[in-house]
Amino acid sequence: MAADGFAIGGDLRVGRLGFGAMHLPTAAGSARDGAIAVVRRAVELGVTLIDTAYLYGGGANEELLAEALHPYPPGLLITTKVGVARSAATGEWRLDGRPEVLRDQIERGLVRLRTERHALLQLHRVDPGVPLAWLLARSPVILPIPGTSRIAHLEENVAARHLRLTPEQRARLDAPAT
């Protein structure tokens, strides 16, 4: 690993300092114009990884980054996070790792970021209502990182790596909620 950067997953080279876009204002006006200038300047200064999320304004932050930087310069990695959704009933943000929610956030993120694929996609936090075994079975490059302060919960989480879902269980978990 070079002092000035490293490879994520072995092939996504990034610098040692990224830029977190969470605090960029997205509402129309001079503050948004300033946010666009900030993110463009970050790239000019050599930042090669910019972190955003659906949570940051319900996708408005992703749209801002696309407006500021698309078409993206070679070597720039925009990474986004999914798995937190606004409750229709209360308007509050909450963990939501249901497959249909993740799928929707991923697909809409592609549109907002004006790209065909996410080179790096992050899950905010493991939703306790979604089985870890399902997450692990989805892809060999998904790395859930659940946290806990209890040994019993830790042991349950770690045991998920040994679970193997049947095709019927996978189909049930993959199916849209009814």
Side-chain angles (χ1 to χ4, degrees), residues 9-161:
D11 61 349
L12 294 173
R13 297 265 337 141
V14 295
R16 291 285 297 154
L17 184 64
F19 177 77
M22 180 174 79
H23 295 291
L24 294 175
T26 58
S30 61
R32 181 184 180 92
D33 295 341
I36 289 171
V38 166
V39 75
R40 286 178 177 162
R41 182 66 178 140
V43 173
E44 289 171 2
L45 291 171
V47 168
T48 57
L49 183 142
I50 297 177
D51 173 76
T52 185
Y54 172 74
L55 173 65
Y56 308 161
N61 193 270
E62 294 167 327
E63 291 170 345
L64 176 98
L65 292 175
E67 179 183 335
L69 300 171
H70 191 271
Y72 302 113
L76 179 63
L77 176 63
I78 306 262
T79 178
T80 192
K81 294 183 284 298
V82 296
V84 175
R86 190 175 291 247
S87 166
T90 67
E92 293 181 16
W93 291 95
R94 59 179 167 66
L95 288 179
D96 195 338
R98 292 174 295 152
E100 64 273 14
V101 171
L102 297 178
R103 191 176 301 113
D104 181 65
Q105 289 182 1
I106 289 166
E107 290 171 0
R108 289 176 186 249
L110 291 170
V111 172
R112 286 189 295 268
L113 289 167
R114 304 180 200 166
T115 189
E116 293 182 10
R117 74 179 194 83
H118 296 291
L120 178 60
L121 180 72
Q122 303 172 77
L123 182 62
H124 270 288
R125 230 176 306 157
V126 175
D127 180 342
V130 174
L132 279 175
W134 178 82
L135 291 170
L136 292 167
R138 294 294 299 160
S139 170
V141 296
I142 289 179
L143 177 78
I145 308 172
T148 185
S149 60
R150 295 186 351 232
I151 290 175
H153 193 209
L154 170 69
E155 290 169 350
E156 288 174 7
N157 289 340
V158 173
R161 70 179 174 200

